[in-house]
């Protein structure tokens, strides 16, 4: 399977659909009678003055989520090939994204983090373009607006503002105007939100939007112990990927090295920003899919032992399918 996706072949999109189906079919046997879908934060609920939370049937909800994942996988694959981050054209980023998107049951339904992944991929397009761009102020301003839009949908997305400044440190010489441009872009969106609050006589509540940022980082996370078993192959592949990256790090182009550094820091930001939510939800980690999928793709592209990497991927895929058919 891995060898099939190592080369860039448009017909791989058909195999991608099959894997997308296999990684979701088990959940259909245990799907709840109702699935809630919330795509804006409570402070932005006034912007969507209709009841939509249960407007979709469970099957339609899962189907639309799968369609979004498929589109995001193709966009991510195009992004990685366009910037040549892996050194050769391949379909592996799309395969890894689709596979990882079926890791946990909360990943399989429509959610705010899933919607925000479109914004994250859009950000990556712009962040990687900073390396060769001469005047980055307009790009950074746009990035600030994207982060603000993502914050309206899913508030922990606000921490991805840090990725803008990190990219400026990695890709550009210091220019204070570029650093301020991102703040102005973010402020632009929330200025219009403040106007909306004012027109609805709720301006006194506007400052409460940022109160969750002061939430104490939790001492422990309550996760079903069976979910940890699914993480075993994921952690194994990540560790192997980092070893492979270390071996080839200084053989890569400067842009490639800095891009992988940026992806790693984005992974850390998205992984540790979950605490902002009052209630912990596994679907938060959908935001980690894009960088992790690229790391996985790198390992499987440059791994040399066919029997080992094929078995490892098969173990991951079978684990995902088995855990969906068994409701623990």
């Amino acid at each position: 399977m891995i060898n099939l996706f190592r080369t860039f072949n448009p017909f791989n999109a058909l195999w991608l659909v099959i894997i997308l189906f296999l990684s979701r079919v088990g959940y259909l046997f245990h799907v709840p009678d109702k699935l809630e879908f919330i795509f804006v934060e409570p402070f932005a609920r006034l912007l969507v003055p209709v009841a939509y939370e249960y407007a979709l049937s469970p099957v339609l909800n899962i189907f639309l989520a799968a369609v979004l994942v498929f589109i995001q996988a193709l966009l991510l694959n195009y992004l990685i090939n366009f910037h040549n981050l892996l050194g050769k054209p391949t379909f592996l980023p799309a395969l890894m994204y689709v596979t990882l998107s079926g890791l946990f049951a909360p990943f399989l339904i429509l959610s705010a983090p899933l919607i925000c992944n479109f914004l994250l991929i859009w950000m990556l397009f712009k962040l990687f373009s900073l390396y060769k761009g001469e005047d980055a102020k307009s790009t950074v301003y746009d990035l600030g607006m994207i982060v603000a839009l993502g914050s309206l949908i899913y508030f922990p997305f606000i921490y991805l503002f840090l990725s803008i400044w990190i990219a400026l440190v990695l890709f550009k010489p210091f220019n204070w105007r570029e650093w301020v441009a991102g703040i102005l872009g973010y402020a632009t969106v929330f200025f219009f939100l403040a106007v909306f609050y004012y027109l609805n006589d709720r301006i006194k509540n506007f400052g409460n939007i940022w109160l969750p940022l002061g939430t104490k980082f939790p001492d422990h996370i309550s996760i079903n112990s069976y979910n940890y078993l699914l993480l075993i192959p994921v952690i194994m592949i990540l560790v192997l990927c980092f070893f492979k990256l270390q071996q080839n790090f200084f053989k890569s182009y400067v842009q490639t090295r800095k891009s992988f550094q940026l992806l790693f820091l984005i992974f850390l930001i998205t992984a540790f920003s979950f605490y902002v939510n009052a209630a912990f939800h596994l679907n938060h980690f959908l935001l980690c899919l894009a960088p992790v999928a690229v790391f996985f793709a790198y390992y499987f592209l440059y791994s040399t032992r066919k029997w080992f990497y094929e078995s490892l991927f098969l173990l991951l895929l079978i684990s995902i399918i088995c855990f969906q058919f068994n409701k623990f």
Side-chain angles (χ1 to χ4, degrees):
M1 180 63 71
I2 295 298
N3 276 352
L4 184 66
F5 282 87
R6 275 186 163 188
T7 58
F8 184 80
N9 187 341
F11 287 105
N12 286 342
L14 298 177
W15 285 105
L16 209 60
V17 172
I18 295 173
I19 294 172
L20 188 68
F21 174 75
L22 289 175
S23 62
R24 280 155 174 75
V25 63
Y27 184 64
L28 294 174
F29 289 89
H30 305 292
V31 65
D33 295 330
K34 287 185 177 182
L35 287 175
E36 186 181 35
F37 170 42
I38 298 176
F39 68 88
V40 289
E41 285 290 341
F43 64 80
R45 188 64 179 83
L46 285 174
L47 300 174
V48 189
V50 292
Y52 66 87
E53 287 83 356
Y54 296 98
L56 300 175
S57 67
V59 174
L60 182 58
N61 186 307
I62 296 170
F63 174 76
L64 290 178
V67 171
L68 295 185
V69 165
F70 182 74
I71 296 172
Q72 289 169 358
L74 295 181
L75 288 173
L76 180 65
N77 201 80
Y78 172 76
L79 166 69
I80 300 306
N81 288 330
F82 180 81
H83 289 282
N84 197 31
L85 291 190
L86 298 181
K88 59 183 76 171
T90 176
F91 232 92
L92 283 175
L95 173 64
M96 296 302 129
Y97 189 89
V98 165
T99 304
L100 290 169
S101 69
L103 198 60
F104 301 115
F107 286 13
L108 307 178
I109 61 177
L110 289 173
S111 62
L114 180 61
I115 302 298
C116 281
N117 269 351
F118 279 109
L119 299 177
L120 177 55
I121 295 171
W122 188 13
M123 284 185 67
L124 289 175
F125 270 101
K126 290 185 172 293
L127 289 170
F128 291 151
S129 70
L130 289 175
Y131 184 78
K132 294 182 179 179
E134 294 182 3
D135 185 9
K137 290 191 290 294
S138 60
T139 301
V140 173
Y141 180 85
D142 292 342
L143 284 165
M145 293 186 70
I146 294 171
V147 173
L149 288 173
S151 303
L152 297 180
I153 298 171
Y154 186 62
F155 191 64
F157 198 82
I158 189 174
Y159 277 106
L160 279 166
F161 189 90
L162 297 175
S163 69
I164 303 174
W165 286 346
I166 291 170
L168 288 174
V169 171
L170 291 173
F171 296 149
K172 308 288 292 182
F174 179 75
N175 184 335
W176 69 269
R177 293 179 181 85
E178 294 172 352
W179 287 62
V180 173
I183 299 174
L184 293 177
Y186 189 91
T188 299
V189 173
F190 275 85
F191 169 77
F192 287 107
L193 182 65
V195 172
F196 190 81
Y197 264 62
Y198 176 77
L199 293 176
N200 286 271
D201 198 26
R202 295 186 59 184
I203 195 64
K204 293 181 179 179
N205 300 325
F206 186 71
N208 296 335
I209 292 174
W210 290 276
L211 290 180
L213 294 176
T215 304
K216 183 181 178 182
F217 198 83
D219 297 326
H220 67 281
I221 306 171
S222 179
I223 301 179
N224 188 327
S225 57
Y226 289 104
N227 289 330
Y228 289 111
L229 296 176
L230 268 176
L231 290 177
I232 293 175
V234 173
I235 294 172
M236 284 179 60
I237 298 172
L238 268 180
V239 171
L240 290 170
C241 166
F242 291 141
F243 274 114
K244 186 65 68 174
L245 273 171
Q246 185 183 26
Q247 292 173 2
N248 301 331
F249 189 73
F250 291 105
K251 300 177 184 177
S252 306
Y253 292 110
V254 174
Q255 181 181 4
T256 302
R257 296 202 300 264
K258 291 187 175 183
S259 297
F260 271 102
Q261 290 172 347
L262 176 62
L263 284 171
F264 177 70
L265 291 170
I266 287 176
F267 166 67
L268 293 181
I269 291 169
T270 53
F272 288 104
S273 60
F274 69 89
Y275 81 96
V276 176
N277 271 354
F280 173 75
H281 297 289
L282 269 176
N283 60 16
H284 168 84
F285 296 102
L286 279 166
L287 293 175
C288 300
L289 288 191
V292 173
V294 179
F295 293 138
F296 274 37
Y298 186 90
Y299 168 71
F300 284 112
L301 185 62
Y302 289 101
S303 183
T304 53
R305 298 180 182 179
K306 181 179 178 181
W307 67 269
F308 182 74
Y309 64 71
E310 291 284 3
S311 301
L312 197 56
F313 176 73
L314 194 60
L315 172 65
L316 175 61
L317 187 59
I318 291 175
S319 300
I320 291 171
I321 295 172
C322 289
F323 270 70
Q324 287 179 10
F325 275 101
N326 293 278
K327 188 177 182 181
F328 297 105

